[in-house]
Amino acid sequence: MTRSQTIYIKIIKRFFDIIIGLIGTVCLLFPSFIAIFAIYKYKKYDGSIFFTQDRFGKDGRPFKIIKFRSMVANAEELLKADEALYQKYIANSYKLPPEEDPRLTSIGAFIRRTSIDEFPQFINILKGDMSFIGPRPILADELSEYSLDQQKLLLSVKPGATGWWQVSGRSEVYYPERCELELYYAENISLKLDLTIMLLTVKKVLIGHGAH
């Protein structure tokens, strides 16, 4: 990593992360929390409104990613109970089309399609676990898609709520192409690239493209 990239990440990028995190928490997270909480109470869903999951952060440090829960409380058990569906989930880069996913709640598909389920990650950003822009926080199972050298590069930067993979197709882009996109960002991180991703993110969210 070059000296200019290091300065950008440590000072400018972190400054913008804090500003975006604060604005996102107040303007997006709080209002959506009230609405989703009311719906989940009305529907009498079991479990918390939030979903947390272990992911790998910078330098391989584990952290809990936070999302609004879009699935039923026993989602993992439900998925693994159907061997054929579970194998399809793995082959499909750890995703399922909403119409085939038995784990989703009645509003789960909607909050995923609109990316509302991602809003609690503003908390992760403020805590410093994540950046607003970076490679997607990776699951332990997904690390096997990368070689050891690639893992080192991928984990050399903070993961992001949005990134080059997301704006390039997100759930419609599978491994190994996803690896190439994530590694491209990690190797070429810059203010110009971040601004490009930010503008493309707004466009993708507005049209709901690639969000499963």
Side-chain angles (χ1 to χ4, degrees):
M1 186 172 292
T2 66
R3 185 171 180 270
S4 62
Q5 285 177 316
T6 301
I7 294 172
Y8 169 65
I9 291 170
K10 288 186 175 181
I11 302 175
I12 302 173
K13 189 174 175 67
R14 181 56 185 157
F15 173 77
F16 280 114
D17 281 342
I18 292 171
I19 298 300
I20 291 171
L22 289 171
I23 293 172
T25 298
V26 173
C27 298
L28 297 175
L29 175 55
F30 283 169
S32 58
F33 169 80
I34 294 170
I36 295 175
F37 179 80
I39 293 171
Y40 271 54
K41 284 297 182 183
Y42 176 75
K43 294 284 188 179
K44 298 181 179 178
Y45 289 123
D46 293 330
S48 170
I49 184 175
F50 294 110
F51 168 77
T52 62
Q53 189 177 48
D54 291 326
R55 300 289 178 102
F56 287 108
K58 187 178 184 301
D59 299 323
R61 289 192 296 267
F63 72 98
K64 297 281 187 182
I65 193 172
I66 312 170
K67 294 186 177 187
F68 282 129
R69 187 163 61 87
S70 60
M71 297 183 179
V72 296
N74 63 333
E76 187 172 355
E77 293 83 357
L78 190 63
L79 175 63
K80 291 184 177 180
D82 187 329
E83 181 62 27
L85 191 66
Y86 183 62
Q87 291 303 319
K88 182 174 183 178
Y89 162 79
I90 295 174
N92 202 43
S93 291
Y94 308 90
K95 300 284 184 182
L96 284 173
E99 64 274 9
E100 295 182 30
D101 198 333
R103 302 170 297 169
L104 293 175
T105 64
S106 58
I107 67 165
F110 170 76
I111 65 174
R112 280 190 167 196
R113 185 173 65 251
T114 55
S115 296
I116 291 173
D117 65 318
E118 309 281 0
F119 288 172
Q121 287 163 49
F122 287 118
I123 297 173
N124 287 123
I125 293 169
L126 288 173
K127 289 173 62 181
D129 296 328
M130 295 173 58
S131 176
F132 181 61
I133 298 171
R136 189 64 186 155
I138 197 166
L139 292 162
D141 289 346
E142 293 176 292
L143 274 178
S144 62
E145 302 288 345
Y146 297 82
S147 69
L148 291 178
D149 286 342
Q150 289 175 332
Q151 289 178 25
K152 184 177 180 180
L153 175 59
L154 178 72
L155 299 174
S156 68
V157 297
K158 284 184 183 179
T162 185
W164 197 232
W165 166 64
Q166 288 93 322
V167 299
S168 300
R170 195 173 172 180
S171 296
E172 295 176 2
V173 178
Y174 307 131
Y175 289 113
E177 185 181 354
R178 175 177 168 178
C179 294
E180 297 172 3
L181 293 169
E182 300 285 41
L183 294 171
Y184 175 85
Y185 178 83
E187 198 164 25
N188 295 279
I189 185 170
S190 67
L191 176 59
K192 181 180 178 180
L193 182 56
D194 277 359
L195 289 174
T196 299
I197 292 170
M198 191 177 297
L199 292 174
L200 289 173
T201 296
V202 173
K203 178 181 177 181
K204 296 287 184 180
V205 169
L206 288 176
I207 64 176
H209 185 262
H212 292 171

